[in-house]
Amino acid sequence: MKEVVVHPERCVGCMQCMAACAAAHSISKNLFLASLETPRPKARVHVGLGLYNEGFPNRCRHCDPAPCLLACLPGAISRNAGKNTVFIDPNRCINCASCAMACPFGVIRYHEDCTAPAGKTVAVKCDNCYERQLAGMIPACVEVCKSAALTFEERADAMKRKTDEVARTVSAGVAQIDLAAGFTLLNAIKRKQIELAR
Amino acid sequence: MNEKYFTNTITEDGRLLLKKMEREGVESVWDRFQAQLPNCGYCEMGLSCRICVMGPCRIDPFGEGPQRGVCGADADIMVARNLGRMIAAGAASHSDHGRDLVEVLGKVAVNEAPGYQLRDVEKLTRVAAEFGIKADGKKPNQIAAELSDAMAEEYGTRKKELTLLKRAPAKRQEVWRKLGVAPRGIDRETSEMMHRTHMGVDNDWKSLLLHGIRNSLSDGWGGSMIATEVSDILFGTPKPGVTKVNAGVLKKDQVNILVHGHNPVVSEMLLHACQDPDLLKMAKDKGANGINLAGVCCTGNELLMRAGIPMAGNHLTTELVLATGAVDMMVVDYQCIMPSLGTVAACYHTKMVSTSDKARFPGMEHQEFHPENAAAKAQTLVKDAIANFDRRGEVFIPVESVECMGGFSVEAIVGALGGTPKPLIDAIAAGKIRGAVGIVGCNNPRIKQDYGHVTLTQRLIENDILVVDTGCASVATAKAGFKQSQALEKAGPGLKEVCGALGVPPVLHVGSCVDNVRILVLASALANSLGVDISDLPIAGAAPEWYSEKAATIGVYFVASGVYTVLGPMPPITGSMNIVKLLTEGLNDAVGATFAVEPDPEKAAVLIRKHIEGKRKKLGLPHAQV
């Protein structure tokens, strides 16, 4: 089964995953129209800021066992083993924030949502775009990511590739991975600037 | 201490005012910068293209995703097109500023600009002669009319080359002609850049960059140069004078009016109005002890250079000064005026006024200035500022001001040297002064405010390198005390001796950012006296904290004129290593100078010293190992 895999070293920080995620979880599924909807759709993936101002797309890991699920007293959170996804039922959610306290990754937010009863604030997080997947599409964040920081693939394939990448770094004569010379140069300059500003 | 206000700026006034803004919940440029992070990597690398609506497109720098835009443009083409448009925007800005001055000159000639006058008739005659206009006993107004027409022609000239190119050393002009980059018209090159970067026109990244050079030269030796010359003619060629800088120039007991922007056309009229006895009396009646006109940014520099008007701060200080609660009015013209200013002002009592028909801002009252109505308008604005004086709340003026000597036009520098650049050349030849560096450009929240300018300047002058600076860089070093007489103590022994004998500080304020052309003129004078090209001189340029498109254009015209230039922030070009290599190495073969990018000013100083000693060696002058 394919799942979303994050490759932090490839994140260029464009935040397009956030915009695409919000649009995918709107009524219209269209970025422009979505921005006019009430409630305004919000992203479930959040780009965080690393030590050197590099981006990192922080999303739900769909843990097993999931701390949020264990913490949810009304039983609004469930795990669908077949989809490898942890879901929140907005009708059952009582907005108590227990799941957010239990989540080690800080990916659960509280706001109104088009899937929840009107006017009700509920816990919201990544659902692996199950609606899109049913329609034969891949998750929106992956689709929009052009630098392959987010991929949708078999876990085994991703691990094999990473294993090979690591193996290549210890090949004789290789000092470091230089994914793209220009990106390395830009990051070296930015890193210097940030160190100087401290 | 690592509080935000401490790490954001090295300036004492900035830190105290930021702390106040933080306490009062007023958003600053640094908050907005933080909110933008992480910056989009595609945009930072020049790998996003919004030129047409087959796109927008982006190219994956890691080679897995898309490698071409919808049109087929690869990374080299995309980066070159983006850089080209950046240069065009910068050239358009400074050159359009020049056009506005030419229009005022034309109106003054026909007496349609009451309040303005021809302050430097000698310069008028001299510049007119360069345009082939003979004085022949003509009245100044007649010469001004002809010069204004001739300069207006330069914008859309049908001649082969711009007139002022001939100010450059003959060898430099030959370099441009051989490369095919001698600009043909000021507007033409900008317009052609927009054409070339349209989908399906110039898709050779090298030829796009060559046109970028031509476009930048159309500004440096065209529009910007005209702006400076006409400003001198209308408002006087700057002469050395002493004034004060930093937020401490605001006065608790006076009506404070700040001018902000770039064009001296409005601020000169305000200056007159602030000296009007009737208005001074009106201020007195309101309980104020006078009317204090001060500047920020380059409009401030224009007034500082010519009239010794005090300077409250540079780019990143423009929001902070409002937090003093002491600014009764801020009058803006155009360029580098953050659209946030109206919002900051609304937290205090400051009245914000925009004055240019092409520059409007939220939260500002629009009072349009034209040469015909400027003198009268200025009176009205000063009256409004006086009326605002008693609306002040708490006033907090954080520091004492610092003394600063400004006003070093090329004419003034040559004058201080006794009428010829020879004493400077002798000092350089003898090694007392190793060389000269133009430090220019802005502030940028990526860099601790003024840290780049001040650190680099300190390292250069202590190594006997004369620094001339403009724009926000010049305000940074003034605030740090490099332009007062005691600053000689910070200079190396040779530079201290020469500057001490001439009675000038080791860091010379040569003007606003449009006045970077003064550095070109000075470099040409030095090169001509030695019979060499600008690229042979032991000189360099630096823009340690640049942010704007104008600065990008200035950098390119510096390098294209033969001046090795070190940038602090990286321009959006790393998406194409071909272009990075061309700008940092390849250009040497074409124009005899390159760019370098070095965010650490300590290291930039070493790069520059190495370059200068290398040039000294080639000239057969005593040289040192760096």
Side-chain angles (χ1 to χ4, degrees):
Chain A
M1 186 183 41
K2 288 183 175 178
E3 56 192 300
V4 178
V5 184
V6 181
H7 311 271
E9 73 282 6
R10 287 173 184 269
C11 178
V12 299
C14 68
M15 301 200 263
Q16 295 202 29
C17 51
M18 294 177 68
C21 176
H25 293 89
S26 68
I27 299 164
S28 63
K29 317 292 181 206
N30 169 293
L31 183 62
F32 172 63
L33 293 175
S35 69
L36 304 174
E37 286 174 18
T38 308
R40 185 93 53 94
K42 290 190 164 72
R44 287 140 164 80
V45 56
H46 307 276
V47 175
L49 204 54
L51 271 179
Y52 298 101
N53 287 355
E54 73 279 20
F56 171 71
N58 190 34
R59 61 190 293 286
C60 174
R61 271 62 161 184
H62 300 279
C63 313
D64 187 13
C68 58
L69 186 157
L70 299 173
C72 181
L73 295 183
I77 303 185
S78 59
R79 187 161 214 298
N80 183 320
K83 296 191 179 93
N84 198 17
T85 301
V86 174
F87 288 107
I88 302 178
D89 179 349
N91 293 305
R92 281 193 166 194
C93 174
I94 58 167
N95 188 21
C96 69
S98 299
C99 54
M101 284 190 280
C103 174
F105 303 103
V107 293
I108 302 177
R109 304 291 156 99
Y110 291 85
H111 49 78
E112 289 180 37
D113 189 78
C114 65
T115 60
K120 183 183 178 189
T121 293
V122 293
V124 182
K125 68 166 197 65
C126 168
D127 60 1
N128 274 329
C129 280
Y130 75 96
E131 267 188 19
R132 287 173 56 97
Q133 288 201 50
L134 284 179
M137 294 187 284
I138 63 169
C141 57
V142 176
E143 184 182 80
V144 81
C145 181
K146 295 300 171 208
S147 67
L150 295 167
T151 55
F152 189 58
E153 56 188 325
E154 296 291 339
R155 188 178 288 195
D157 290 350
M159 286 179 171
K160 170 84 175 86
R161 214 175 52 249
K162 188 76 189 176
T163 305
D164 290 346
E165 266 174 30
V166 172
R168 283 196 295 274
T169 65
V170 293
S171 294
V174 175
Q176 65 177 93
I177 315 177
D178 199 0
L179 288 173
F183 194 58
T184 306
L185 174 62
L186 175 72
N187 283 338
I189 298 271
K190 283 168 72 176
R191 188 177 177 131
K192 189 80 228 172
Q193 270 170 355
I194 288 158
E195 283 168 355
L196 288 169
R198 280 188 183 136
Chain B
M1 273 220 277
N2 54 4
E3 280 94 343
K4 268 192 321 192
Y5 54 83
F6 200 82
T7 52
N8 287 345
T9 172
I10 65 164
T11 59
E12 185 67 16
D13 56 349
R15 285 175 180 170
L16 293 169
L17 287 168
L18 250 182
K19 193 174 171 182
K20 180 170 188 272
M21 283 172 78
E22 207 173 286
R23 201 175 61 230
E24 294 169 343
V26 183
E27 181 192 87
S28 78
V29 58
W30 286 280
D31 299 320
R32 295 189 298 273
F33 175 70
Q34 206 57 39
Q36 282 296 333
L37 295 177
N39 294 125
C40 169
Y42 298 113
C43 301
E44 277 191 307
M45 298 181 77
L47 289 178
S48 55
C49 179
R50 290 178 294 115
I51 288 176
C52 85
V53 295
M54 292 198 291
C57 299
R58 54 235 190 265
I59 287 176
D60 172 20
F62 307 117
E64 270 181 34
Q67 293 302 295
R68 289 171 187 279
V70 177
C71 70
D74 60 14
D76 295 330
I77 297 172
M78 204 180 265
V79 171
R81 287 199 301 218
N82 287 335
L83 183 62
R85 289 199 164 192
M86 197 173 192
I87 295 168
S93 307
H94 268 159
S95 295
D96 198 41
H97 165 170
R99 185 198 331 266
D100 286 339
L101 285 153
V102 171
E103 280 183 10
V104 175
L105 183 68
K107 294 238 158 96
V108 170
V110 293
N111 297 319
E112 282 177 14
Y116 296 95
Q117 47 181 307
L118 302 167
R119 289 263 184 79
D120 192 339
V121 175
E122 188 277 322
K123 184 153 191 173
L124 167 72
T125 319
R126 185 154 43 91
V127 176
E130 292 185 76
F131 283 83
I133 300 160
K134 293 202 179 74
D136 284 344
K138 284 175 202 156
K139 287 203 171 114
N141 277 29
Q142 175 62 29
I143 302 174
E146 289 178 32
L147 180 59
S148 134
D149 279 352
M151 283 176 160
E153 277 285 311
E154 295 282 306
Y155 281 82
T157 182
R158 292 162 65 192
K159 288 178 290 189
K160 246 170 85 187
E161 285 176 7
L162 294 181
T163 304
L164 293 174
L165 291 191
K166 56 178 193 272
R167 286 186 169 184
K171 284 183 184 167
R172 183 57 24 187
Q173 296 179 41
E174 263 325 294
V175 168
W176 293 334
R177 285 183 198 120
K178 225 177 102 201
L179 266 184
V181 296
R184 300 152 296 178
I186 297 167
D187 286 346
R188 176 174 181 174
E189 309 307 356
T190 296
S191 182
E192 185 171 313
M193 180 59 89
M194 298 312 283
H195 178 195
R196 282 182 186 237
T197 52
H198 185 280
M199 205 303 273
V201 186
D202 194 354
N203 288 292
D204 174 345
W205 59 273
K206 287 184 198 142
S207 111
L208 272 168
L209 293 183
L210 273 178
H211 185 69
I213 287 179
R214 176 153 56 181
N215 198 174
S216 76
L217 291 171
S218 79
D219 180 35
W221 297 85
S224 276
M225 201 168 268
I226 285 176
T228 294
E229 300 304 50
V230 177
S231 293
D232 283 357
I233 291 167
L234 287 172
F235 308 119
T237 304
K239 294 186 185 73
V242 174
T243 183
K244 295 282 173 90
V245 292
N246 78 28
V249 303
L250 296 171
K251 296 192 173 137
K252 205 165 187 167
D253 61 343
Q254 296 197 13
V255 175
N256 291 305
I257 302 178
L258 281 182
V259 287
H260 178 11
H262 284 79
N263 194 320
V265 165
V266 170
S267 47
E268 278 281 331
M269 286 302 111
L270 279 172
L271 174 60
H272 296 176
C274 288
Q275 293 158 347
D276 184 299
D278 292 342
L279 294 176
L280 283 168
K281 185 174 175 301
M282 195 182 285
K284 205 137 223 150
D285 294 344
K286 266 273 182 187
N289 254 335
I291 306 172
N292 180 37
L293 183 69
V296 287
C297 210
C298 279
T299 293
N301 276 324
E302 298 276 351
L303 287 180
L304 181 153
M305 287 288 285
R306 298 195 176 86
I309 293 303
M311 164 64 79
N314 45 4
H315 177 52
L316 288 185
T317 315
T318 55
E319 289 179 325
L320 307 184
V321 283
L322 299 179
T324 58
V327 183
D328 300 300
M329 179 180 279
M330 182 183 263
V331 182
V332 309
D333 47 85
Y334 48 52
Q335 295 170 14
C336 303
I337 295 148
M338 289 192 261
S340 62
L341 285 176
T343 314
V344 180
C347 299
Y348 304 94
H349 83 299
T350 307
K351 184 167 180 145
M352 301 293 299
V353 181
S354 56
T355 56
S356 164
D357 59 343
K358 51 192 139 199
R360 298 186 190 226
F361 303 86
M364 294 196 194
E365 184 180 308
H366 191 65
Q367 294 276 358
E368 211 161 290
F369 273 59
H370 295 284
E372 304 83 11
N373 71 1
K377 265 270 184 269
Q379 295 260 337
T380 318
L381 289 195
V382 175
K383 274 181 206 158
D384 288 353
I386 295 168
N388 203 25
F389 178 72
D390 58 12
R391 287 187 58 243
R392 277 187 193 179
E394 181 206 356
V395 168
F396 172 65
I397 294 173
V399 290
E400 288 286 320
S401 58
V402 173
E403 191 185 286
C404 151
M405 192 179 214
F408 292 97
S409 57
V410 176
E411 289 85 343
I413 294 172
V414 174
L417 293 167
T420 146
K422 191 159 179 307
L424 181 57
I425 288 166
D426 292 346
I428 291 174
K432 279 183 188 165
I433 296 180
R434 312 303 300 175
V437 173
I439 301 183
V440 307
C442 333
N443 287 145
N444 185 327
R446 286 175 195 290
I447 294 167
K448 193 184 284 192
Q449 186 196 12
D450 292 356
Y451 174 73
H453 298 309
V454 170
T455 311
L456 179 61
T457 302
Q458 174 60 50
R459 292 293 169 255
L460 294 179
I461 61 171
E462 72 193 17
N463 284 292
D464 289 324
I465 294 167
L466 176 71
V467 170
V468 295
D469 58 13
T470 62
C472 289
S474 71
V475 183
T477 58
K479 283 187 286 181
F482 285 85
K483 294 187 168 100
Q484 49 187 354
S485 38
Q486 303 95 293
L488 284 175
E489 296 310 318
K490 300 179 201 239
L495 185 63
K496 184 176 168 185
E497 182 195 323
V498 176
C499 292
L502 294 170
V504 300
V507 181
L508 303 181
H509 191 327
V510 298
S512 64
C513 51
V514 90
D515 289 336
N516 280 316
V517 300
R518 295 195 202 274
I519 299 175
L520 297 181
V521 173
L522 184 63
S524 300
L526 294 179
N528 285 335
S529 322
L530 288 166
V532 298
D533 193 357
I534 296 174
S535 55
D536 299 321
L537 295 171
I539 62 171
E545 303 180 30
W546 76 282
Y547 90 87
S548 84
E549 292 163 316
K550 290 182 297 171
T553 312
I554 292 163
V556 178
Y557 76 60
F558 261 45
V559 171
S561 300
V563 184
Y564 170 70
T565 299
V566 184
L567 304 177
M570 176 62 94
I573 57 168
T574 54
S576 162
M577 284 311 281
N578 282 332
I579 291 178
V580 171
K581 280 206 176 69
L582 183 89
L583 297 183
T584 55
E585 294 166 20
L587 274 182
N588 214 12
D589 297 331
V591 296
T594 62
F595 280 104
V597 180
E598 178 49 67
D600 184 348
E602 301 276 2
K603 289 186 186 148
V606 175
L607 286 178
I608 288 173
R609 286 173 53 214
K610 270 193 182 137
H611 170 80
I612 283 181
E613 294 299 334
K615 291 291 174 188
R616 292 184 63 89
K617 186 175 177 187
K618 278 194 189 144
L619 283 171
L621 300 175
H623 56 276
Q625 197 69 39
V626 178

